[in-house]
Amino acid sequence: MKAAVLYERRTPLVIDDLDLASPGAGEVEVRLVASGVCHSDLHHIQRDTPTILPVVLGHEGAGIVTAVGPNVTRVAPGDHVIIAFGPKCGECYYCVRGMPYLCTPARPARPRLFKNGQVINQFLEVATYAERTVVSEKNVVKIRDDAPLAVCSLVACGVTTGIGAVINTARVEPGSNVVVIGTGGVGLNVVQGARLAGAARIIAVDVRDNKLEFARAMGATHLINAAREDVVERVRALTGGYGADYAFEVIGNPATINQAYESIRKGGTAVVVGVADENAELTIKPVWLMRQAKTLMGCAYGSARPQVDFPRIVDLYMEGRIKLDELITRRFGLDEINEAFRAMEAGEVARGVIDLA
Ligand code: APR
Ligand code: ZN
Ligand code: ZN
């Protein structure tokens, strides 16, 4: 089975032939149809993160169940599924409280990928830059058969994270003024989440004009190019001098997190969606946090419950209420994966998708 393996940080992924375990108890095998290219994968190539190498990256995938192990009840061969990344044990402190995005399982998943007997890790227990994968049945969510799977792969991360940040995490009210800093694959979904929530002004901020045009197509009402304009000043001017009700940072950079925090009004909420470097630190004056009664929130995986949210998001797409096709700028073969990362880093695409079927 072919998969893209990261053997060494800051080197290209290697397309390699790996052995995949048969699904064990509670596990399923999925033939992947597509996997979106998310900036989080690139972080693990470029940065020193806790992820152990070698690893097959990819966490934004969808496909068709091809085999199930003993005691699998949620899906059967032939089912169309979107893969939910990260542990989802269903039993830990967080899972039982409805926060699977914080799952802290008692046991790690067993190894399922091998090269000549050597274990190859599965990124976030899913490893979707591969022709097939074996995952826990808790990591797959069955969806309707009539939804195009390649497009639905984006629901596995970017779409759910972005829309979820607005709807689940911040709970933006209709009529709110919303700022989105960083309108890449995830940020564009924060923009469309804000539109879905009935936001009044949706102010998109990026350093690239092409990204701002994508944001306009997803529902942004105002565009700010941070390379040329003062973001905080422009946001104030667009919000009657007060600042926005909500600001979302979707880059993972302390400077832009500060910008989000400065862009909100007194009593407003700034939400950190972007993944910062492991050692990055944020400086905020606590006296102003208190005096201005601001809220600074973290958002992991759009605070989503994938079994509930994925089918809902797919329905919204099928009903024409959210846009997914427009997010996909370019499609690549698995052997073009390094080019797909280059295109993302160069800012050429809204989202790139790897076709695997
Ligand atoms: N100010 C404004 N926009 C910026 C800045 C900046 N200083 N620096 C980068 N950007 C923009 C880029 O131009 C790009 O459009 O941020 C966007 C990032 O988008 P992508 O590269 O497509 O990344 P994405 O997959 O959306 O992920 C964004 O969220 O999930 C996390 O790990 C992910 O930290 C990453 C972030
Ligand atoms: Zn992602
Ligand atoms: Zn759990």
Side-chain angles (χ1 to χ4, degrees):
M1 188 235 10
K2 286 207 167 41
V5 188
L6 178 67
Y7 281 104
E8 217 178 304
R9 290 187 202 276
R10 294 170 283 275
T11 65
L13 301 187
V14 177
I15 307 302
D16 219 342
D17 232 319
L18 304 183
D19 299 316
L20 182 64
S22 304
E27 293 179 342
V28 303
E29 183 188 271
V30 178
R31 179 174 65 79
L32 291 155
V33 168
S35 183
V37 179
C38 177
H39 214 116
S40 296
D41 295 298
L42 187 62
H43 289 332
H44 294 273
I45 299 174
Q46 294 179 333
R47 299 176 180 173
D48 294 311
T49 67
T51 295
I52 298 166
L53 306 193
V55 64
V56 172
L57 294 173
H59 63 283
E60 195 176 76
I64 299 173
V65 175
T66 40
V68 300
N71 309 328
V72 167
T73 54
R74 290 192 185 181
V75 290
D79 282 350
H80 289 203
V81 292
I82 298 176
I83 299 200
F85 64 78
K88 302 270 170 278
C89 78
E91 287 149 23
C92 71
Y93 182 94
Y94 296 101
C95 282
V96 297
R97 284 167 175 77
M99 296 178 274
Y101 47 92
L102 299 176
C103 174
T104 312
R107 284 172 303 280
R110 70 172 182 128
R112 300 165 185 137
L113 281 175
F114 305 89
K115 172 80 183 177
N116 302 327
Q118 183 201 0
V119 172
I120 309 288
N121 294 292
Q122 290 180 300
F123 183 50
L124 296 171
E125 301 194 3
V126 294
T128 62
Y129 292 146
E131 292 172 323
R132 285 178 293 139
T133 189
V134 168
V135 298
S136 161
E137 69 168 326
K138 291 168 179 159
N139 286 90
V140 296
V141 178
K142 181 173 155 59
I143 57 159
R144 52 197 278 180
D145 294 346
D146 58 342
L149 271 169
V151 175
C152 288
S153 67
L154 303 188
V155 175
C157 177
V159 176
T160 296
T161 302
I163 294 180
V166 176
I167 308 282
N168 301 329
T169 313
R171 297 176 187 265
V172 168
E173 310 86 5
S176 301
N177 291 327
V178 174
V179 175
V180 184
I181 305 181
T183 56
V186 182
L188 289 170
N189 288 291
V190 177
V191 169
Q192 73 171 334
R195 183 176 47 76
L196 204 59
R201 292 188 183 77
I202 304 172
I203 305 167
V205 182
D206 206 287
V207 287
R208 291 178 188 277
D209 289 324
N210 65 331
K211 299 299 180 100
L212 292 171
E213 285 310 320
F214 291 141
R216 192 201 299 279
M218 300 308 279
T221 58
H222 298 81
L223 311 178
I224 301 178
N225 187 319
R228 295 194 297 264
E229 300 169 88
D230 184 315
V231 173
V232 177
E233 211 170 89
R234 280 273 336 265
V235 170
R236 292 235 173 96
L238 289 168
T239 54
Y242 291 106
D245 302 302
Y246 295 92
F248 294 84
E249 197 272 359
V250 206
I251 302 160
N253 174 342
T256 42
I257 294 170
N258 274 120
Q259 219 166 45
Y261 183 80
E262 293 300 322
S263 297
I264 53 173
R265 61 163 170 79
K266 290 186 202 175
T269 301
V271 186
V272 178
V273 182
V275 182
D277 192 83
E278 299 294 320
N279 298 316
E281 290 188 2
L282 187 66
T283 308
I284 277 176
K285 286 200 178 133
V287 70
W288 283 106
L289 181 65
M290 182 282 297
R291 266 185 209 145
Q292 300 187 333
K294 288 183 174 181
T295 301
L296 179 63
M297 304 180 84
C299 165
Y301 207 165
S303 310
R305 292 165 299 156
Q307 300 290 346
V308 179
D309 290 309
F310 288 3
R312 260 190 202 165
I313 290 175
V314 171
D315 281 345
L316 286 170
Y317 164 72
M318 296 299 282
E319 289 157 13
R321 296 181 59 200
I322 61 168
K323 298 178 180 181
L324 299 185
D325 299 272
E326 290 78 354
L327 291 169
I328 303 177
T329 321
R330 242 180 104 183
R331 302 175 77 136
F332 303 86
L334 183 59
D335 55 349
E336 297 172 303
I337 192 152
N338 295 302
E339 162 63 10
F341 281 116
R342 187 208 57 76
M344 176 174 61
E345 227 186 338
E348 294 170 10
V349 294
R351 209 41 147 196
V353 167
I354 308 293
D355 284 311
L356 297 160

